[in-house]
Amino acid sequence: MISVRLLAASGAAALLVAGCGSDSKPGADSTGTNSASAPATTTTAAATTPAEPKATTGQAPAVPNAADLKTKPRIATPRGAPPTSLIKKDLVVGHGPAIHTGQLASVQYVGVSWSNGSEFDASWDRGQPFQFPLGQQQVITGWDTGVPGMKVGGRRELVIPPGQAYGAQSPGPGIGPNETLVFVIDLERIG
């Protein structure tokens, strides 16, 4: 597995300091519009069966166990063309304080590659949260930009295009060149 800290230290991509937080609501994309909808159903004479949710261009993949903060999130295999800009979506809005640039974040996370849905890293597997100073260029740009505004106790999905991840360089096995990355991040505490 590749550690987010190791990846950030590799210097594979230029990192930027985040300028502002998110006012995203559950089911809202980075523009504040509602991108989540109820699963479609297929009706036949015999029964009604939920259709599998599908991610199309520019949408985050489904997280079937999104509301269960006591278990490692399962990220559905992304489908369609990856988005070209950062997508952040609060799956669970926390009830604690919001994190801001300059504060120390303590998070649990899972990361998968958009192209094949394979998991390349998860703090859950190490049994301890990952800590980093937000906005201090210690992690990839997509994290420094996508995490501000999260509330303690919240779970956020980030879909990070290559320009805010590792670009054309592959930082190691599991992340290819120009890979879009999908993370589900739980903010456990600040400081």
Side-chain angles (χ1 to χ4, degrees), residues 32-51:
T33 59
N34 191 350
S35 62
S37 59
T41 57
T42 305
T43 307
T44 63
T48 301
T49 308

Side-chain angles (χ1 to χ4, degrees), residues 16-22 101 135 144-146 148:
L16 301 174
V17 175
C20 61
S22 167
T101 298
D144 273 345
T145 304

Side-chain angles (χ1 to χ4, degrees), residues 2 21 41 71 101 119 132:
I2 298 173
T41 57
T71 61
T101 298
E119 182 180 304
F132 68 99

Side-chain angles (χ1 to χ4, degrees), residues 30-170:
S30 60
T31 64
T33 59
N34 191 350
S35 62
S37 59
T41 57
T42 305
T43 307
T44 63
T48 301
T49 308
E52 180 179 307
K54 295 181 180 181
T56 57
T57 303
Q59 292 184 344
V63 180
N65 65 333
D68 185 0
L69 298 177
K70 294 181 181 179
T71 61
K72 177 180 172 181
R74 295 183 321 269
I75 302 172
T77 301
R79 296 187 181 177
T84 57
S85 60
L86 176 72
I87 294 177
K88 53 186 172 180
K89 180 169 76 170
D90 284 321
L91 303 173
V92 174
V93 176
H95 296 290
I99 191 163
H100 303 286
T101 298
Q103 295 180 305
L104 183 66
S106 182
V107 302
Q108 290 281 12
Y109 68 89
V110 174
V112 302
S113 296
W114 181 281
S115 63
N116 59 20
S118 65
E119 182 180 304
F120 57 81
D121 192 20
S123 63
W124 288 85
D125 297 341
R126 292 186 289 280
Q128 64 182 13
F130 171 68
Q131 293 185 334
F132 68 99
L134 185 60
Q136 303 300 307
Q137 302 178 354
Q138 299 296 309
V139 292
I140 60 177
T141 302
W143 275 43
D144 273 345
T145 304
V147 172
M150 276 188 79
K151 292 183 177 183
V152 172
R155 176 172 279 180
R156 182 174 284 177
E157 183 175 38
L158 298 178
V159 180
I160 305 174
Q164 292 183 18
Y166 300 102
Q169 288 188 302
S170 172

